[in-house]
PDB file of all heavy atoms in Angstrom:
ATOM      1  N   ARG A   1      83.411 103.777 103.541  1.00 98.00           N
ATOM      2  CA  ARG A   1      84.604 103.059 103.682  1.00 98.00           C
ATOM      3  C   ARG A   1      85.536 103.375 102.418  1.00 98.00           C
ATOM      4  O   ARG A   1      85.000 103.428 101.273  1.00 98.00           O
ATOM      5  CB  ARG A   1      84.348 101.519 103.659  1.00 98.00           C
ATOM      6  CG  ARG A   1      83.543 101.014 104.876  1.00 98.00           C
ATOM      7  CD  ARG A   1      83.286  99.581 104.851  1.00 98.00           C
ATOM      8  NE  ARG A   1      82.318  99.250 103.746  1.00 98.00           N
ATOM      9  CZ  ARG A   1      81.554  98.190 103.779  1.00 98.00           C
ATOM     10  NH1 ARG A   1      81.584  97.350 104.827  1.00 98.00           N
ATOM     11  NH2 ARG A   1      80.795  97.919 102.771  1.00 98.00           N
ATOM     12  N   VAL A   2      86.788 103.505 102.613  1.00 98.00           N
ATOM     13  CA  VAL A   2      87.673 103.830 101.545  1.00 98.00           C
ATOM     14  C   VAL A   2      87.889 102.502 100.769  1.00 98.00           C
ATOM     15  O   VAL A   2      88.229 101.522 101.252  1.00 98.00           O
ATOM     16  CB  VAL A   2      89.087 104.299 102.144  1.00 98.00           C
ATOM     17  CG1 VAL A   2      90.047 104.499 101.005  1.00 98.00           C
ATOM     18  CG2 VAL A   2      88.912 105.633 102.895  1.00 98.00           C
ATOM     19  N   ARG A   3      87.606 102.666  99.454  1.00 98.00           N
ATOM     20  CA  ARG A   3      87.753 101.451  98.596  1.00 98.00           C
ATOM     21  C   ARG A   3      89.231 101.056  98.459  1.00 98.00           C
ATOM     22  O   ARG A   3      90.116 101.889  98.294  1.00 98.00           O
ATOM     23  CB  ARG A   3      87.191 101.821  97.255  1.00 98.00           C
ATOM     24  CG  ARG A   3      85.668 102.127  97.132  1.00 98.00           C
ATOM     25  CD  ARG A   3      85.233 102.469  95.719  1.00 98.00           C
ATOM     26  NE  ARG A   3      83.826 102.788  95.780  1.00 98.00           N
ATOM     27  CZ  ARG A   3      82.737 101.996  95.773  1.00 98.00           C
ATOM     28  NH1 ARG A   3      82.948 100.706  95.713  1.00 98.00           N
ATOM     29  NH2 ARG A   3      81.513 102.435  95.727  1.00 98.00           N
ATOM     30  N   GLY A   4      89.377  99.761  98.535  1.00 97.00           N
ATOM     31  CA  GLY A   4      90.691  99.159  98.462  1.00 97.00           C
ATOM     32  C   GLY A   4      91.515  99.110  99.733  1.00 97.00           C
ATOM     33  O   GLY A   4      92.594  98.468  99.702  1.00 97.00           O
ATOM     34  N   ILE A   5      91.022  99.629 100.849  1.00 98.00           N
ATOM     35  CA  ILE A   5      91.679  99.706 102.062  1.00 98.00           C
ATOM     36  C   ILE A   5      90.676  99.244 103.154  1.00 98.00           C
ATOM     37  O   ILE A   5      89.683  99.776 103.283  1.00 98.00           O
ATOM     38  CB  ILE A   5      92.278 100.996 102.479  1.00 98.00           C
ATOM     39  CG1 ILE A   5      93.308 101.494 101.399  1.00 98.00           C
ATOM     40  CG2 ILE A   5      92.929 100.963 103.865  1.00 98.00           C
ATOM     41  CD1 ILE A   5      94.540 100.672 101.273  1.00 98.00           C
ATOM     42  N   GLU A   6      91.024  98.232 103.987  1.00 98.00           N
ATOM     43  CA  GLU A   6      90.171  97.775 105.046  1.00 98.00           C
ATOM     44  C   GLU A   6      90.425  98.774 106.263  1.00 98.00           C
ATOM     45  O   GLU A   6      91.471  99.311 106.436  1.00 98.00           O
ATOM     46  CB  GLU A   6      90.429  96.338 105.460  1.00 98.00           C
ATOM     47  CG  GLU A   6      90.181  95.356 104.380  1.00 98.00           C
ATOM     48  CD  GLU A   6      88.686  95.189 104.071  1.00 98.00           C
ATOM     49  OE1 GLU A   6      87.926  95.280 105.087  1.00 98.00           O
ATOM     50  OE2 GLU A   6      88.378  95.031 102.912  1.00 98.00           O
ATOM     51  N   GLY A   7      89.303  98.858 107.057  1.00 98.00           N
ATOM     52  CA  GLY A   7      89.401  99.573 108.369  1.00 98.00           C
ATOM     53  C   GLY A   7      89.696 101.089 108.297  1.00 98.00           C
ATOM     54  O   GLY A   7      90.177 101.695 109.196  1.00 98.00           O
ATOM     55  N   LEU A   8      89.272 101.708 107.188  1.00 99.00           N
ATOM     56  CA  LEU A   8      89.474 103.151 106.991  1.00 99.00           C
ATOM     57  C   LEU A   8      88.167 103.790 106.431  1.00 99.00           C
ATOM     58  O   LEU A   8      87.660 103.377 105.389  1.00 99.00           O
ATOM     59  CB  LEU A   8      90.595 103.459 106.022  1.00 99.00           C
ATOM     60  CG  LEU A   8      90.984 104.868 105.747  1.00 99.00           C
ATOM     61  CD1 LEU A   8      91.427 105.623 107.069  1.00 99.00           C
ATOM     62  CD2 LEU A   8      92.178 104.984 104.741  1.00 99.00           C
ATOM     63  N   ARG A   9      87.650 104.735 107.095  1.00 98.00           N
ATOM     64  CA  ARG A   9      86.459 105.465 106.655  1.00 98.00           C
ATOM     65  C   ARG A   9      86.720 106.965 106.701  1.00 98.00           C
ATOM     66  O   ARG A   9      87.678 107.403 107.294  1.00 98.00           O
ATOM     67  CB  ARG A   9      85.203 105.230 107.635  1.00 98.00           C
ATOM     68  CG  ARG A   9      84.785 103.753 107.616  1.00 98.00           C
ATOM     69  CD  ARG A   9      83.466 103.530 108.266  1.00 98.00           C
ATOM     70  NE  ARG A   9      83.324 102.246 108.819  1.00 98.00           N
ATOM     71  CZ  ARG A   9      82.333 101.383 108.623  1.00 98.00           C
ATOM     72  NH1 ARG A   9      81.347 101.749 107.795  1.00 98.00           N
ATOM     73  NH2 ARG A   9      82.330 100.207 109.074  1.00 98.00           N
ATOM     74  N   ILE A  10      85.839 107.726 105.991  1.00 98.00           N
ATOM     75  CA  ILE A  10      85.847 109.104 105.998  1.00 98.00           C
ATOM     76  C   ILE A  10      84.468 109.645 106.263  1.00 98.00           C
ATOM     77  O   ILE A  10      83.493 109.173 105.730  1.00 98.00           O
ATOM     78  CB  ILE A  10      86.341 109.689 104.571  1.00 98.00           C
ATOM     79  CG1 ILE A  10      87.782 109.212 104.305  1.00 98.00           C
ATOM     80  CG2 ILE A  10      86.205 111.201 104.488  1.00 98.00           C
ATOM     81  CD1 ILE A  10      88.243 109.515 102.892  1.00 98.00           C
ATOM     82  N   CYS A  11      84.391 110.610 107.170  1.00 98.00           N
ATOM     83  CA  CYS A  11      83.040 111.061 107.677  1.00 98.00           C
ATOM     84  C   CYS A  11      82.885 112.583 107.536  1.00 98.00           C
ATOM     85  O   CYS A  11      81.901 113.083 108.092  1.00 98.00           O
ATOM     86  CB  CYS A  11      82.653 110.492 108.979  1.00 98.00           C
ATOM     87  SG  CYS A  11      83.507 111.315 110.347  1.00 98.00           S
ATOM     88  N   ASP A  12      83.821 113.234 106.941  1.00 98.00           N
ATOM     89  CA  ASP A  12      83.545 114.764 106.848  1.00 98.00           C
ATOM     90  C   ASP A  12      82.987 115.093 105.524  1.00 98.00           C
ATOM     91  O   ASP A  12      82.563 114.215 104.763  1.00 98.00           O
ATOM     92  CB  ASP A  12      84.908 115.500 107.067  1.00 98.00           C
ATOM     93  CG  ASP A  12      86.011 115.118 106.095  1.00 98.00           C
ATOM     94  OD1 ASP A  12      85.706 114.676 104.992  1.00 98.00           O
ATOM     95  OD2 ASP A  12      87.225 115.083 106.481  1.00 98.00           O
ATOM     96  N   MET A  13      82.968 116.392 105.139  1.00 98.00           N
ATOM     97  CA  MET A  13      82.333 116.815 103.907  1.00 98.00           C
ATOM     98  C   MET A  13      83.114 116.357 102.638  1.00 98.00           C
ATOM     99  O   MET A  13      82.600 116.534 101.536  1.00 98.00           O
ATOM    100  CB  MET A  13      82.086 118.308 103.896  1.00 98.00           C
ATOM    101  CG  MET A  13      80.969 118.857 104.792  1.00 98.00           C
ATOM    102  SD  MET A  13      79.370 118.211 104.427  1.00 98.00           S
ATOM    103  CE  MET A  13      79.039 118.982 102.844  1.00 98.00           C
ATOM    104  N   SER A  14      84.288 115.811 102.838  1.00 98.00           N
ATOM    105  CA  SER A  14      84.892 115.202 101.736  1.00 98.00           C
ATOM    106  C   SER A  14      84.085 114.057 101.125  1.00 98.00           C
ATOM    107  O   SER A  14      84.215 113.821  99.907  1.00 98.00           O
ATOM    108  CB  SER A  14      86.332 114.537 102.154  1.00 98.00           C
ATOM    109  OG  SER A  14      87.129 115.410 102.743  1.00 98.00           O
ATOM    110  N   ALA A  15      83.260 113.470 101.898  1.00 98.00           N
ATOM    111  CA  ALA A  15      82.599 112.218 101.515  1.00 98.00           C
ATOM    112  C   ALA A  15      81.403 112.446 100.630  1.00 98.00           C
ATOM    113  O   ALA A  15      80.911 111.536  99.969  1.00 98.00           O
ATOM    114  CB  ALA A  15      82.132 111.501 102.822  1.00 98.00           C
ATOM    115  N   VAL A  16      80.868 113.641 100.508  1.00 98.00           N
ATOM    116  CA  VAL A  16      79.562 113.832  99.865  1.00 98.00           C
ATOM    117  C   VAL A  16      79.718 113.804  98.303  1.00 98.00           C
ATOM    118  O   VAL A  16      80.722 114.359  97.830  1.00 98.00           O
ATOM    119  CB  VAL A  16      78.947 115.174 100.296  1.00 98.00           C
ATOM    120  CG1 VAL A  16      78.711 115.278 101.779  1.00 98.00           C
ATOM    121  CG2 VAL A  16      79.687 116.385  99.789  1.00 98.00           C
ATOM    122  N   PRO A  17      78.789 113.177  97.626  1.00 98.00           N
ATOM    123  CA  PRO A  17      78.847 113.154  96.218  1.00 98.00           C
ATOM    124  C   PRO A  17      78.540 114.448  95.499  1.00 98.00           C
ATOM    125  O   PRO A  17      78.901 114.724  94.405  1.00 98.00           O
ATOM    126  CB  PRO A  17      77.942 112.000  95.772  1.00 98.00           C
ATOM    127  CG  PRO A  17      76.988 111.890  96.933  1.00 98.00           C
ATOM    128  CD  PRO A  17      77.756 112.290  98.144  1.00 98.00           C
ATOM    129  N   ASN A  18      77.726 115.265  96.116  1.00 98.00           N
ATOM    130  CA  ASN A  18      77.318 116.645  95.779  1.00 98.00           C
ATOM    131  C   ASN A  18      77.030 117.490  96.967  1.00 98.00           C
ATOM    132  O   ASN A  18      76.724 116.867  98.000  1.00 98.00           O
ATOM    133  CB  ASN A  18      76.169 116.596  94.766  1.00 98.00           C
ATOM    134  CG  ASN A  18      76.011 117.859  93.960  1.00 98.00           C
ATOM    135  OD1 ASN A  18      76.902 118.765  94.086  1.00 98.00           O
ATOM    136  ND2 ASN A  18      75.047 117.936  93.073  1.00 98.00           N
ATOM    137  N   ILE A  19      77.256 118.711  96.810  1.00 98.00           N
ATOM    138  CA  ILE A  19      77.067 119.621  97.978  1.00 98.00           C
ATOM    139  C   ILE A  19      75.557 119.870  98.160  1.00 98.00           C
ATOM    140  O   ILE A  19      74.778 119.897  97.252  1.00 98.00           O
ATOM    141  CB  ILE A  19      77.814 120.923  97.739  1.00 98.00           C
ATOM    142  CG1 ILE A  19      78.094 121.673  99.097  1.00 98.00           C
ATOM    143  CG2 ILE A  19      77.181 121.822  96.761  1.00 98.00           C
ATOM    144  CD1 ILE A  19      79.078 122.688  98.926  1.00 98.00           C
ATOM    145  N   ASN A  20      75.179 120.042  99.433  1.00 98.00           N
ATOM    146  CA  ASN A  20      73.854 120.349  99.757  1.00 98.00           C
ATOM    147  C   ASN A  20      73.523 121.868  99.471  1.00 98.00           C
ATOM    148  O   ASN A  20      74.418 122.686  99.412  1.00 98.00           O
ATOM    149  CB  ASN A  20      73.598 120.115 101.237  1.00 98.00           C
ATOM    150  CG  ASN A  20      74.420 120.835 102.145  1.00 98.00           C
ATOM    151  OD1 ASN A  20      75.608 120.486 102.281  1.00 98.00           O
ATOM    152  ND2 ASN A  20      73.957 121.845 102.910  1.00 98.00           N
ATOM    153  N   ALA A  21      72.303 122.144  99.369  1.00 98.00           N
ATOM    154  CA  ALA A  21      71.870 123.590  99.110  1.00 98.00           C
ATOM    155  C   ALA A  21      71.741 124.271 100.452  1.00 98.00           C
ATOM    156  O   ALA A  21      70.752 124.344 101.097  1.00 98.00           O
ATOM    157  CB  ALA A  21      70.487 123.555  98.399  1.00 98.00           C
ATOM    158  N   GLY A  22      72.851 124.982 100.792  1.00 98.00           N
ATOM    159  CA  GLY A  22      72.880 125.710 102.052  1.00 98.00           C
ATOM    160  C   GLY A  22      74.160 125.392 102.864  1.00 98.00           C
ATOM    161  O   GLY A  22      75.007 124.728 102.385  1.00 98.00           O
ATOM    162  N   ASN A  23      74.174 125.951 104.116  1.00 98.00           N
ATOM    163  CA  ASN A  23      75.402 125.814 104.903  1.00 98.00           C
ATOM    164  C   ASN A  23      75.704 124.369 105.215  1.00 98.00           C
ATOM    165  O   ASN A  23      74.710 123.481 105.265  1.00 98.00           O
ATOM    166  CB  ASN A  23      75.225 126.585 106.218  1.00 98.00           C
ATOM    167  CG  ASN A  23      74.863 128.039 105.934  1.00 98.00           C
ATOM    168  OD1 ASN A  23      73.837 128.390 105.379  1.00 98.00           O
ATOM    169  ND2 ASN A  23      75.721 128.908 106.411  1.00 98.00           N
ATOM    170  N   THR A  24      76.985 123.989 105.496  1.00 98.00           N
ATOM    171  CA  THR A  24      77.356 122.611 105.544  1.00 98.00           C
ATOM    172  C   THR A  24      77.732 122.112 106.875  1.00 98.00           C
ATOM    173  O   THR A  24      78.057 120.907 107.016  1.00 98.00           O
ATOM    174  CB  THR A  24      78.560 122.402 104.593  1.00 98.00           C
ATOM    175  OG1 THR A  24      79.622 123.298 104.994  1.00 98.00           O
ATOM    176  CG2 THR A  24      78.127 122.627 103.134  1.00 98.00           C
ATOM    177  N   ASN A  25      77.580 122.928 107.916  1.00 98.00           N
ATOM    178  CA  ASN A  25      78.074 122.433 109.270  1.00 98.00           C
ATOM    179  C   ASN A  25      77.096 121.336 109.757  1.00 98.00           C
ATOM    180  O   ASN A  25      77.566 120.317 110.337  1.00 98.00           O
ATOM    181  CB  ASN A  25      78.107 123.536 110.269  1.00 98.00           C
ATOM    182  CG  ASN A  25      78.674 123.094 111.552  1.00 98.00           C
ATOM    183  OD1 ASN A  25      79.855 122.869 111.699  1.00 98.00           O
ATOM    184  ND2 ASN A  25      77.871 123.020 112.646  1.00 98.00           N
ATOM    185  N   ALA A  26      75.716 121.502 109.719  1.00 98.00           N
ATOM    186  CA  ALA A  26      74.754 120.544 110.185  1.00 98.00           C
ATOM    187  C   ALA A  26      74.933 119.216 109.377  1.00 98.00           C
ATOM    188  O   ALA A  26      74.981 118.130 109.940  1.00 98.00           O
ATOM    189  CB  ALA A  26      73.385 121.097 110.151  1.00 98.00           C
TER     190      ALA A  26
END
């Protein structure tokens, strides 16, 4: 959930705190 705003989420790779080791599609 986006902090400070109700009813808004983000679910793509923007959301990750750090990148995974490898390709990111899965």
Side-chain angles (χ1 to χ4, degrees):
R1 298 175 296 202
V2 175
R3 295 180 183 276
I5 301 292
E6 296 292 322
L8 182 60
R9 298 192 205 232
I10 295 173
C11 72
D12 58 31
M13 287 298 292
S14 304
V16 304
N18 198 358
I19 200 165
N20 58 289
N23 304 65
T24 55
N25 189 70

